[in-house]
RNA sequence: GGGCAAGUGGUGGAAUGGUAUACACGAAGGACUUAAAAUCCUUUGACCGUAAGGUCUUGAGGGUUCGAUUCCCUCCUUGCCCACCA
C-alpha cells in the first residue's frame, strides 16, 4: 500500500495532535541536562506563512529535533514580531483595527506553523503587541533612561515622507526607506535616541569571538560600526578666535594640506563667511546643498561642488595660511564635519582642487629622493611611501609617520590622537500608532519625566484615528495625551511617539526563557540556564539591523546584572532565499507557491524534506515541483519497506555472509555520514542523500525468507533509516516507529527522544580495499588488495599489470608513491624531465 | 571605488590535496498491464571507436605538486554588502 494523500493527512494530523496533547515539546529547566536553545527569527504576522518561513523554520526544526535525539534539553519557542506598519496600512485600507488585523494574521500563521509539524514549545508563544510584552519594552526604556542611554535630542533626522515617520540610519538603504523604498529626506526634529555608541568598542571587539557566525555578517557589522584611527587637528582661523577641528586618518600628510573644507551644515560656515565678499555666494551654496537629496549628494560619482568661504585657516604644523572652502563632499555626520584637504594624496581632494584651481603639494613619494610634479599628476598618489617636504619627518616611511606626527602634534597641543566611529546612536522615535508607547511625560514645571514603573504598561488606546497622515495618531487622542506629572502631579502631556519595532525584537529571545512572568522582564535563573541562544537561524537581511541591536541590548541587560551572557547568539545560520524561475518568490512578482497546497498534495514531511534536500541551507533554493515528487516517492519507499519487509520480533545472531556485511557496512556508513553532516554545519542535503544510499542497500538486500537472524539485520537497517530521518520527516517517522512496534523510551514518548543511532568504526573497516594505480598522474589500473598492505606487496603487483606496463612505455621509475588503502602513483623518467 | 561569496553533467547538487560528477531530478530503453498510472530493472558528462580502448572535461589563463574542483597568482562573469566615512 503506498503512502497516499489520505494516509498522509491522517498521519500528520494524528501526530500533530499527539504532540500537542501530550506536551511533548514543553521545555523546562533541568540543571542535570545539557541545554540547547534553537531559535528562528520570529515572523512578522502579515498573513499566512510563506515558503521563506517554511525554509527558515524547517531548518530550525530539524536542528531542534536532532539535538533532542542527541540527548539535549532543547528550548525551541515561537512568537510574533507583531507591531509594525503593515497593520496600520491594513487599518487604512480595510477599516479594521491594527489589533484585530494582527491577531487574525497570528491565528492564520499559527495554523500554518502547526501544519508543518514544528517542535515548538507552544506554551511560550508570545506576541510583541500584547501589553504583557510591551510593558517590558517600556521598562527597559526606563532603565536605559535611568542609565543615560536613552536621551532626547534635536537634530537632523532621516524622514520618510511616504511613511510620515523618522527612520534610524540602519533603516535607510541607499538613501531610501527600507520599507517603502521612497527617498528619505533630512528634517530637524527633537527625538529619542538610544546610546548604542556606548557599546561601540565591545560590539566591535566581540565580533571576533563570534566564530560561528558567517564571516560575511561579521564583516558587514564591522563595516557598519566603522572604527577609524587617526588624529584631530586644530586649525586656527586667521584673524579670528575660531578654531576648525578636522579629523583625518592620514596625519602623515599634514604638511601637504593646502586647504580646509567644511560641510555645508557646519556651524562655522555661516560665521566665517559673514561680512566677507563671499557671504552671499556661501549662503546660496548652503541652501542649494540643503535642497539636494542626500542620496544624490553622497553618490560616489557625483561632481563635487564647493565655494570659497572668504576665510583662511593656519596650518598648525607650518603656520601656512590656507583657504577655507565649503564643499558638499564633506559630511556633517562623520568625523568633525570638517577636513584638511591634501589633494596630492586623496583622490576626492584631488578632483576638488583641480576643479577649483587650488594648490597642491606632494609630501609622499614611493622612495627617498624621488620627485613628483603635482602639475603632471593625473590622480592622487594614495599608496604608501616616504615623506618629503615635511620638515623633520622627511624620509620617514609614511606608516611610521602617522604615529610620529600624531604624537608630536599632541605634545605641541595642535592636535590629538583620535578614533572615530561610523556608528551613530539609534533613533527610535516613530510617529506611528502600532508600536510601544514611549513611557515619558512632559511637565511644564518638571520637564521630561519618566512614567513610574508601577504605572506600566502605558497602554495603546484602541480609538486612535489612523489615517497615515498628519503625524502621531496618539497625539489625536486627548485622553491618552493628558496625564498627571509623576513628580508634581500637575496636568502634563504624554509622549505620543512610539518605539521603532526593532526595539521589540532586540530582546525577545530573553523573554522566551520565562514568557509569562508578570512580575519581571524575565526570570534571571531560567535565563542563566537557557542563554545564550545556541543556534539562531534567519535571513541575511537582518545582518546589521536586528542582529546589531540584539547584541547591544544583550550587553545592556548584562550590565543591569540580569544575564551573564554578553552575546545573544552563539551560532548564526543565514538561510538562502527561495526562488522560482530564477526570481525570489514574492507576492508582487506573482510567483509564490502556497505551502498549504503542497501539504495538501504531498504532506508536510515531503515539503520539509524537499526544501532541505534541494540545496544546502545557506544557498538559494530553486523551487522544483519534480524534485518535490521525488522526495515524496522516497518517503513512500521507506513506508513500503516498513510495511512489507519489516517483521516484528525477529531476533538472533548469525555469522555474517557477504550480503549481511554489506548491509551492516551501509548502515554504519549512513549513521556516520548523517551525523557528520549534522555536526559539520548542518549539511542536510548530504545527510538525506546518505539515508537514500542506505535505503538503496536495503532494497537490494535479498528477502530473508524466514531466517530470523537475517530478518533482524534487515529490521535493524530499516529502524536506522527511520531514526536518521526522524528529524526531517517527523510525522512519518512517528507513524513508522509505531508500526514497527518500537517501544517508546519515556513519558508519553516520541521518536524525537529516541537516542540517535551510533556507528561503529570497526564495522566500516573492510578486509579488502580497492586501490588505483596512477602512471604520471593518470589512473591506469585498479586492484583489490588486503587492507593496509605496503609497498613491498603492492610494487610487484602493480608493475606486473599490463595496462601499467603499457603506459610506462619502458621508462625508468623515478618515484613510487603509496597512499595506504587508496592509491599507488608511479612517476617515470619521461615525466620527471 | 572597496569588501565578501560563488562559478562543476540537460537540472538541483556531491567531493577541502588522492578514482570528479555521490544522491536526486529529468531523459531514453525494458519488465509488469488489454491500456494507462504506480512500481521495478538497465543506461545516461562530452568526443573518437563495432569493440577493446583512448582523448578531453570542474568560468579562462598561469603556477606549486607524483597528483589540484580543492592551495597560490592574474583575469572574466554573477550575486550580495558597503561607499565622497576624510
Amino acid at each position: 500500500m503506498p503512502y497516499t494523500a489520505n494516509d498522509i493527512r491522517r498521519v500528520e494530523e494524528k501526530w500533530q495532535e499527539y504532540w500537542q496533547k501530550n506536551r511533548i515539546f514543553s521545555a523546562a529547566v533541568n540543571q542535570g541536562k545539557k541545554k540547547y536553545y534553537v531559535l528562528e527569527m520570529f515572523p512578522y504576522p502579515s498573513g499566512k506563512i510563506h515558503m521563506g518561513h517554511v525554509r527558515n523554520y524547517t531548518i530550525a526544526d530539524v536542528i531542534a529535533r536532532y539535538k533532542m535525539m542527541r540527548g539535549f534539553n532543547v528550548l525551541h519557542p515561537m512568537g510574533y514580531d507583531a507591531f509594525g506598519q503593515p497593520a496600520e496600512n491594513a487599518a487604512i485600507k480595510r477599516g479594521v483595527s491594527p489589533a484585530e488585523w494582527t491577531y487574525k494574521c497570528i491565528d492564520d500563521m499559527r495554523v500554518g506553523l502547526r501544519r508543518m509539524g514544528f517542535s515548538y514549545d507552544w506554551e511560550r508563544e508570545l506576541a510583541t503587541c500584547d501589553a504583557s510584552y510591551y510593558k517590558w519594552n517600556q521598562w527597559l526604556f526606563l532603565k536605559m533612561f535611568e542609565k543615560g542611554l536613552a536621551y532626547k535630542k534635536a537634530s537632523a533626522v532621516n524622514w520618510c515622507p511616504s511613511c510620515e515617520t523618522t527612520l534610524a540610519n540602519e533603516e535607510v538603504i541607499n538613501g531610501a526607506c527600507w520599507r517603502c523604498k521612497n527617498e528619505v529626506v533630512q528634517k530637524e526634529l527633537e527625538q529619542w535616541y538610544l546610546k548604542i555608541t556606548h557599546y561601540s568598542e565591545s560590539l566591535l571587539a566581540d565580533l571576533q569571538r563570534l566564530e560561528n557566525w558567517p564571516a560575511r555578517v561579521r564583516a558587514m557589522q564591522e563595516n557598519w560600526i566603522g572604527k577609524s584611527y587617526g588624529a584631530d587637528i586644530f586649525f586656527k582661523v586667521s584673524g579670528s578666535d575660531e578654531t576648525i577641528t578636522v579629523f583625518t586618518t592620514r596625519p602623515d600628510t599634514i604638511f601637504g594640506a593646502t586647504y580646509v573644507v567644511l560641510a555645508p551644515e557646519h556651524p562655522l560656515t555661516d560665521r566665517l563667511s559673514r561680512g566677507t565678499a563671499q557671504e552671499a555666494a556661501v549662503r546660496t551654496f548652503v541652501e542649494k546643498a540643503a535642497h539636494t537629496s542626500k542620496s544624490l549628494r553622497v553618490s560616489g560619482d557625483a561632481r563635487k561642488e564647493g565655494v570659497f568661504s572668504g576665510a583662511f585657516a593656519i596650518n598648525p604644523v607650518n603656520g601656512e595660511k590656507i583657504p577655507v572652502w565649503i564643499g558638499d563632499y564633506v559630511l556633517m555626520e562623520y568625523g568633525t564635519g570638517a577636513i584638511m584637504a591634501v589633494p596630492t594624496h586623496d583622490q576626492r581632494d584631488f578632483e576638488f582642487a583641480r576643479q577649483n584651481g587650488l594648490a597642491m603639494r606632494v609630501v609622499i613619494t614611493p622612495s627617498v629622493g624621488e620627485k613628483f610634479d603635482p602639475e603632471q599628476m593625473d590622480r592622487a598618489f594614495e599608496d604608501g611611501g616616504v615623506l618629503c617636504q615635511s620638515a623633520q619627518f622627511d624620509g620617514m616611511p609614511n606608516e611610521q609617520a602617522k604615529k610620529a606626527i600624531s604624537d608630536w602634534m599632541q605634545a605641541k597641543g595642535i592636535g590629538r590622537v583620535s578614533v572615530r566611529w561610523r556608528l551613530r546612536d539609534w533613533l527610535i522615535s516613530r510617529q506611528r500608532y502600532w508600536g510601544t508607547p514611549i513611557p515619558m511625560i512632559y511637565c511644564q514645571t518638571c520637564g521630561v519625566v519618566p512614567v513610574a514603573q508601577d504605572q506600566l504598561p502605558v497602554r495603546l488606546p484602541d480609538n486612535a484615528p489612523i489615517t497615515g497622515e498628519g503625524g502621531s495618531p496618539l497625539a489625536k487622542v486627548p485622553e491618552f495625551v493628558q496625564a498627571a506629572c509623576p513628580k508634581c502631579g500637575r496636568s502634563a502631556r504624554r509622549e505620543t511617539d512610539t518605539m521603532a519595532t526593532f526595539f521589540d525584537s532586540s530582546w525577545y529571545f530573553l523573554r522566551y526563557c520565562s514568557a509569562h512572568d508578570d512580575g519581571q522582564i524575565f526570570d534571571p535563573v531560567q535565563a542563566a540556564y537557557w542563554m545564550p541562544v545556541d543556534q539562531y537561524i534567519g535571513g541575511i537581511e537582518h545582518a546589521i539591523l536586528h542582529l546589531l541591536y540584539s547584541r547591544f541590548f544583550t550587553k545592556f541587560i548584562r550590565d543591569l546584572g540580569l544575564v551573564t551572557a554578553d552575546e545573544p547568539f552563539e551560532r548564526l545560520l543565514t538561510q538562502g532565499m527561495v526562488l522560482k524561475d530564477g526570481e525570489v518568490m514574492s507576492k508582487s512578482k506573482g510567483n509564490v507557491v502556497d505551502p498549504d497546497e503542497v501539504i495538501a498534495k504531498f504532506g508536510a514531511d515531503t515539503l520539509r524534506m524537499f526544501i532541505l534536500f534541494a540545496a544546502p541551507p545557506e544557498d538559494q533554493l530553486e523551487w522544483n515541483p519534480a524534485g518535490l515528487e521525488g522526495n515524496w516517492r522516497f518517503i513512500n519507499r521507506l513506508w513500503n519497506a516498513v510495511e512489507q519487509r519489516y517483521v516484528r520480533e525477529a531476533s538472533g545472531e548469525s555469522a555474517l555472509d557477504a550480503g549481511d556485511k554489506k548491509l551492516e557496512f551501509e548502515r554504519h556508513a549512513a549513521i556516520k555520514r548523517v551525523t557528520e553532516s549534522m555536526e559539520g554545519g548542518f549539511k542536510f542535503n548530504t545527510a538525506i542523500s546518505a539515508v537514500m544510499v542506505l535505503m538503496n542497500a536495503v532494497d537490494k538486500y535479498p528477502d530473508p525468507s524466514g531466517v530470523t537472524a537475517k530478518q533482524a539485520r534487515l529490521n535493524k537497517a530499516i529502524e536506522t533509516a527511520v531514526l536518521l530521518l526522524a528529524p526531517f520527516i517527523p510525522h512519518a517517522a512517528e507513524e513508522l516507529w509505531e508500526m514497527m512496534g518500537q517501544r517508546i523510551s519515556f513519558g508519553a514518548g516520541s521518536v524525537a527522544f529516541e537516542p540517535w543511532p551510533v556507528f561503529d568504526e570497526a564495522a566500516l573497516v573492510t578486509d579488502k580495499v580497492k586501490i588505483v594505480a596512477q602512471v604520471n598522474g593518470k589512473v591506469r589500473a585498479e586492484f583489490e588488495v588486503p587492507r593496509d598492505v605496503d609497498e613491498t606487496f603492492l610494487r610487484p603487483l602493480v608493475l606486473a599489470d599490463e595496462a601499467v606496463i603499457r603506459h610506462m612505455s619502458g621508462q625508468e621509475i623515478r618515484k613510487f608513491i603509496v597512499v595506504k588503502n587508496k592509491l599507488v602513483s608511479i612517476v617515470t623518467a619521461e615525466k620527471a624531465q
Side-chain angles (χ1 to χ4, degrees), chain A residues 562-591:
Chain A
L562 295 177
V563 72
T564 48
D566 48 23
E567 281 292 334
F569 314 121
E570 197 58 37
R571 293 172 152 271
L572 175 69
L573 190 157
T574 50
Q575 94 274 0
M577 305 248 197
V578 182
L579 310 183
K580 187 156 181 270
D581 311 318
E583 290 195 302
V584 177
M585 266 192 200
S586 79
K587 262 187 205 158
S588 57
K589 294 213 175 72
N591 61 349

mmCIF file of all heavy atoms in Angstrom, chain A residues 562-591:
data_model
loop_
_atom_site.group_PDB
_atom_site.id
_atom_site.type_symbol
_atom_site.label_atom_id
_atom_site.label_comp_id
_atom_site.label_asym_id
_atom_site.label_seq_id
_atom_site.Cartn_x
_atom_site.Cartn_y
_atom_site.Cartn_z
ATOM 1 N N LEU A 562 21.218 41.242 34.849
ATOM 2 C CA LEU A 562 20.121 40.283 34.720
ATOM 3 C C LEU A 562 20.508 39.015 33.967
ATOM 4 O O LEU A 562 19.811 38.013 34.015
ATOM 5 C CB LEU A 562 18.930 40.938 34.020
ATOM 6 C CG LEU A 562 18.282 42.086 34.801
ATOM 7 C CD1 LEU A 562 17.160 42.712 33.990
ATOM 8 C CD2 LEU A 562 17.761 41.576 36.142
ATOM 9 N N VAL A 563 21.601 39.088 33.233
ATOM 10 C CA VAL A 563 22.017 37.928 32.452
ATOM 11 C C VAL A 563 23.540 37.931 32.395
ATOM 12 O O VAL A 563 24.165 38.999 32.490
ATOM 13 C CB VAL A 563 21.350 37.979 31.049
ATOM 14 C CG1 VAL A 563 21.947 39.059 30.178
ATOM 15 C CG2 VAL A 563 21.413 36.647 30.343
ATOM 16 N N THR A 564 24.130 36.762 32.283
ATOM 17 C CA THR A 564 25.592 36.714 32.261
ATOM 18 C C THR A 564 26.143 36.685 30.845
ATOM 19 O O THR A 564 27.257 37.132 30.604
ATOM 20 C CB THR A 564 26.105 35.473 33.014
ATOM 21 O OG1 THR A 564 25.372 34.345 32.555
ATOM 22 C CG2 THR A 564 25.944 35.629 34.515
ATOM 23 N N ALA A 565 25.356 36.161 29.917
ATOM 24 C CA ALA A 565 25.824 36.092 28.528
ATOM 25 C C ALA A 565 26.060 37.502 28.023
ATOM 26 O O ALA A 565 25.255 38.382 28.274
ATOM 27 C CB ALA A 565 24.774 35.396 27.668
ATOM 28 N N ASP A 566 27.178 37.721 27.293
ATOM 29 C CA ASP A 566 27.308 39.060 26.720
ATOM 30 C C ASP A 566 27.155 39.076 25.211
ATOM 31 O O ASP A 566 27.270 40.112 24.587
ATOM 32 C CB ASP A 566 28.570 39.787 27.187
ATOM 33 C CG ASP A 566 29.799 38.955 27.094
ATOM 34 O OD1 ASP A 566 29.799 38.004 26.291
ATOM 35 O OD2 ASP A 566 30.756 39.239 27.805
ATOM 36 N N GLU A 567 26.867 37.922 24.667
ATOM 37 C CA GLU A 567 26.451 37.857 23.268
ATOM 38 C C GLU A 567 25.182 37.004 23.223
ATOM 39 O O GLU A 567 25.112 35.962 23.869
ATOM 40 C CB GLU A 567 27.540 37.213 22.400
ATOM 41 C CG GLU A 567 28.690 38.151 22.053
ATOM 42 C CD GLU A 567 28.292 39.290 21.125
ATOM 43 O OE1 GLU A 567 27.311 39.128 20.364
ATOM 44 O OE2 GLU A 567 28.950 40.344 21.157
ATOM 45 N N PRO A 568 24.180 37.422 22.450
ATOM 46 C CA PRO A 568 22.912 36.677 22.470
ATOM 47 C C PRO A 568 22.924 35.387 21.652
ATOM 48 O O PRO A 568 22.272 34.430 22.029
ATOM 49 C CB PRO A 568 21.914 37.673 21.864
ATOM 50 C CG PRO A 568 22.740 38.607 21.030
ATOM 51 C CD PRO A 568 24.073 38.685 21.698
ATOM 52 N N PHE A 569 23.674 35.389 20.530
ATOM 53 C CA PHE A 569 23.564 34.270 19.591
ATOM 54 C C PHE A 569 24.932 33.633 19.335
ATOM 55 O O PHE A 569 25.784 34.223 18.699
ATOM 56 C CB PHE A 569 22.954 34.737 18.265
ATOM 57 C CG PHE A 569 21.735 35.615 18.430
ATOM 58 C CD1 PHE A 569 21.701 36.898 17.911
ATOM 59 C CD2 PHE A 569 20.628 35.148 19.123
ATOM 60 C CE1 PHE A 569 20.590 37.710 18.067
ATOM 61 C CE2 PHE A 569 19.506 35.946 19.291
ATOM 62 C CZ PHE A 569 19.480 37.239 18.768
ATOM 63 N N GLU A 570 25.075 32.423 19.838
ATOM 64 C CA GLU A 570 26.349 31.733 19.750
ATOM 65 C C GLU A 570 26.700 31.359 18.299
ATOM 66 O O GLU A 570 27.800 31.597 17.843
ATOM 67 C CB GLU A 570 26.240 30.460 20.602
ATOM 68 C CG GLU A 570 27.536 29.816 20.975
ATOM 69 C CD GLU A 570 28.459 30.734 21.741
ATOM 70 O OE1 GLU A 570 27.971 31.534 22.570
ATOM 71 O OE2 GLU A 570 29.679 30.653 21.508
ATOM 72 N N ARG A 571 25.733 30.758 17.631
ATOM 73 C CA ARG A 571 25.926 30.372 16.232
ATOM 74 C C ARG A 571 24.823 31.016 15.427
ATOM 75 O O ARG A 571 23.693 31.124 15.891
ATOM 76 C CB ARG A 571 25.775 28.859 16.040
ATOM 77 C CG ARG A 571 26.845 28.041 16.687
ATOM 78 C CD ARG A 571 26.486 26.563 16.592
ATOM 79 N NE ARG A 571 27.682 25.769 16.587
ATOM 80 C CZ ARG A 571 28.343 25.428 15.488
ATOM 81 N NH1 ARG A 571 27.878 25.737 14.299
ATOM 82 N NH2 ARG A 571 29.455 24.751 15.565
ATOM 83 N N LEU A 572 25.171 31.393 14.211
ATOM 84 C CA LEU A 572 24.181 32.011 13.345
ATOM 85 C C LEU A 572 24.209 31.319 12.001
ATOM 86 O O LEU A 572 25.272 31.078 11.436
ATOM 87 C CB LEU A 572 24.504 33.499 13.171
ATOM 88 C CG LEU A 572 23.622 34.260 12.188
ATOM 89 C CD1 LEU A 572 22.208 34.394 12.717
ATOM 90 C CD2 LEU A 572 24.209 35.642 11.915
ATOM 91 N N LEU A 573 23.028 30.980 11.522
ATOM 92 C CA LEU A 573 22.918 30.409 10.183
ATOM 93 C C LEU A 573 21.987 31.315 9.391
ATOM 94 O O LEU A 573 20.874 31.612 9.829
ATOM 95 C CB LEU A 573 22.355 28.984 10.273
ATOM 96 C CG LEU A 573 22.376 28.104 9.027
ATOM 97 C CD1 LEU A 573 22.338 26.634 9.439
ATOM 98 C CD2 LEU A 573 21.253 28.386 8.062
ATOM 99 N N THR A 574 22.464 31.789 8.256
ATOM 100 C CA THR A 574 21.616 32.648 7.433
ATOM 101 C C THR A 574 21.144 31.845 6.229
ATOM 102 O O THR A 574 21.952 31.471 5.384
ATOM 103 C CB THR A 574 22.383 33.891 6.959
ATOM 104 O OG1 THR A 574 23.615 33.477 6.384
ATOM 105 C CG2 THR A 574 22.653 34.835 8.101
ATOM 106 N N GLN A 575 19.858 31.570 6.200
ATOM 107 C CA GLN A 575 19.377 30.702 5.130
ATOM 108 C C GLN A 575 19.190 31.479 3.842
ATOM 109 O O GLN A 575 18.948 32.686 3.853
ATOM 110 C CB GLN A 575 18.097 29.979 5.543
ATOM 111 C CG GLN A 575 16.802 30.648 5.144
ATOM 112 C CD GLN A 575 16.362 31.671 6.166
ATOM 113 O OE1 GLN A 575 17.023 31.885 7.163
ATOM 114 N NE2 GLN A 575 15.243 32.326 5.903
ATOM 115 N N GLY A 576 19.311 30.770 2.722
ATOM 116 C CA GLY A 576 19.164 31.408 1.412
ATOM 117 C C GLY A 576 17.701 31.629 1.060
ATOM 118 O O GLY A 576 16.797 31.157 1.743
ATOM 119 N N MET A 577 17.502 32.346 -0.007
ATOM 120 C CA MET A 577 16.152 32.682 -0.452
ATOM 121 C C MET A 577 15.528 31.508 -1.217
ATOM 122 O O MET A 577 16.237 30.660 -1.739
ATOM 123 C CB MET A 577 16.225 33.851 -1.429
ATOM 124 C CG MET A 577 16.947 35.037 -0.864
ATOM 125 S SD MET A 577 15.747 36.304 -0.654
ATOM 126 C CE MET A 577 16.763 37.734 -0.483
ATOM 127 N N VAL A 578 14.203 31.536 -1.302
ATOM 128 C CA VAL A 578 13.501 30.545 -2.119
ATOM 129 C C VAL A 578 13.121 31.223 -3.441
ATOM 130 O O VAL A 578 12.448 32.249 -3.451
ATOM 131 C CB VAL A 578 12.244 30.020 -1.412
ATOM 132 C CG1 VAL A 578 11.566 28.953 -2.255
ATOM 133 C CG2 VAL A 578 12.598 29.466 -0.043
ATOM 134 N N LEU A 579 13.615 30.652 -4.531
ATOM 135 C CA LEU A 579 13.368 31.238 -5.851
ATOM 136 C C LEU A 579 12.415 30.378 -6.664
ATOM 137 O O LEU A 579 12.324 29.177 -6.460
ATOM 138 C CB LEU A 579 14.673 31.339 -6.649
ATOM 139 C CG LEU A 579 15.897 31.961 -6.001
ATOM 140 C CD1 LEU A 579 17.033 32.014 -6.997
ATOM 141 C CD2 LEU A 579 15.584 33.353 -5.505
ATOM 142 N N LYS A 580 11.752 31.042 -7.580
ATOM 143 C CA LYS A 580 11.012 30.288 -8.587
ATOM 144 C C LYS A 580 11.311 30.944 -9.927
ATOM 145 O O LYS A 580 11.206 32.146 -10.067
ATOM 146 C CB LYS A 580 9.508 30.328 -8.294
ATOM 147 C CG LYS A 580 8.735 29.430 -9.221
ATOM 148 C CD LYS A 580 7.407 29.011 -8.614
ATOM 149 C CE LYS A 580 6.665 28.092 -9.571
ATOM 150 N NZ LYS A 580 5.797 28.862 -10.472
ATOM 151 N N ASP A 581 11.677 30.119 -10.889
ATOM 152 C CA ASP A 581 12.084 30.611 -12.210
ATOM 153 C C ASP A 581 13.159 31.687 -12.075
ATOM 154 O O ASP A 581 13.135 32.703 -12.769
ATOM 155 C CB ASP A 581 10.879 31.168 -12.985
ATOM 156 C CG ASP A 581 9.705 30.203 -12.974
ATOM 157 O OD1 ASP A 581 9.961 28.997 -13.134
ATOM 158 O OD2 ASP A 581 8.560 30.636 -12.758
ATOM 159 N N GLY A 582 14.089 31.457 -11.167
ATOM 160 C CA GLY A 582 15.230 32.348 -11.033
ATOM 161 C C GLY A 582 14.944 33.634 -10.273
ATOM 162 O O GLY A 582 15.836 34.457 -10.109
ATOM 163 N N GLU A 583 13.714 33.836 -9.815
ATOM 164 C CA GLU A 583 13.402 35.064 -9.082
ATOM 165 C C GLU A 583 12.900 34.748 -7.681
ATOM 166 O O GLU A 583 12.288 33.704 -7.459
ATOM 167 C CB GLU A 583 12.323 35.847 -9.822
ATOM 168 C CG GLU A 583 12.806 36.455 -11.125
ATOM 169 C CD GLU A 583 11.832 37.493 -11.626
ATOM 170 O OE1 GLU A 583 10.662 37.137 -11.830
ATOM 171 O OE2 GLU A 583 12.246 38.662 -11.792
ATOM 172 N N VAL A 584 13.166 35.665 -6.756
ATOM 173 C CA VAL A 584 12.701 35.487 -5.391
ATOM 174 C C VAL A 584 11.176 35.372 -5.407
ATOM 175 O O VAL A 584 10.489 36.141 -6.067
ATOM 176 C CB VAL A 584 13.113 36.692 -4.520
ATOM 177 C CG1 VAL A 584 12.564 36.541 -3.116
ATOM 178 C CG2 VAL A 584 14.621 36.822 -4.488
ATOM 179 N N MET A 585 10.665 34.376 -4.665
ATOM 180 C CA MET A 585 9.217 34.231 -4.564
ATOM 181 C C MET A 585 8.654 35.442 -3.845
ATOM 182 O O MET A 585 9.075 35.757 -2.742
ATOM 183 C CB MET A 585 8.867 33.002 -3.715
ATOM 184 C CG MET A 585 8.644 31.761 -4.501
ATOM 185 S SD MET A 585 7.915 30.511 -3.450
ATOM 186 C CE MET A 585 8.329 29.054 -4.419
ATOM 187 N N SER A 586 7.731 36.131 -4.460
ATOM 188 C CA SER A 586 7.110 37.257 -3.779
ATOM 189 C C SER A 586 5.740 37.528 -4.364
ATOM 190 O O SER A 586 5.484 37.231 -5.538
ATOM 191 C CB SER A 586 7.989 38.501 -3.878
ATOM 192 O OG SER A 586 7.842 39.100 -5.144
ATOM 193 N N LYS A 587 4.891 38.078 -3.523
ATOM 194 C CA LYS A 587 3.522 38.354 -3.943
ATOM 195 C C LYS A 587 3.524 39.294 -5.141
ATOM 196 O O LYS A 587 2.770 39.102 -6.080
ATOM 197 C CB LYS A 587 2.755 39.001 -2.783
ATOM 198 C CG LYS A 587 1.907 38.000 -2.014
ATOM 199 C CD LYS A 587 1.032 38.721 -0.998
ATOM 200 C CE LYS A 587 0.672 37.785 0.147
ATOM 201 N NZ LYS A 587 0.307 38.506 1.364
ATOM 202 N N SER A 588 4.400 40.310 -5.081
ATOM 203 C CA SER A 588 4.373 41.313 -6.143
ATOM 204 C C SER A 588 4.779 40.699 -7.485
ATOM 205 O O SER A 588 4.329 41.136 -8.532
ATOM 206 C CB SER A 588 5.273 42.489 -5.781
ATOM 207 O OG SER A 588 6.593 42.043 -5.547
ATOM 208 N N LYS A 589 5.658 39.675 -7.441
ATOM 209 C CA LYS A 589 6.049 39.040 -8.702
ATOM 210 C C LYS A 589 5.029 37.980 -9.121
ATOM 211 O O LYS A 589 5.082 37.464 -10.227
ATOM 212 C CB LYS A 589 7.427 38.386 -8.556
ATOM 213 C CG LYS A 589 8.534 39.411 -8.346
ATOM 214 C CD LYS A 589 9.826 38.947 -8.990
ATOM 215 C CE LYS A 589 10.896 40.024 -8.893
ATOM 216 N NZ LYS A 589 11.424 40.211 -7.529
ATOM 217 N N GLY A 590 4.131 37.642 -8.202
ATOM 218 C CA GLY A 590 3.085 36.675 -8.534
ATOM 219 C C GLY A 590 3.596 35.263 -8.759
ATOM 220 O O GLY A 590 2.994 34.465 -9.450
ATOM 221 N N ASN A 591 4.766 34.943 -8.141
ATOM 222 C CA ASN A 591 5.320 33.602 -8.364
ATOM 223 C C ASN A 591 5.392 32.797 -7.068
ATOM 224 O O ASN A 591 6.279 31.973 -6.906
ATOM 225 C CB ASN A 591 6.708 33.707 -9.008
ATOM 226 C CG ASN A 591 7.691 34.457 -8.129
ATOM 227 O OD1 ASN A 591 7.290 35.066 -7.133
ATOM 228 N ND2 ASN A 591 8.952 34.418 -8.459
#
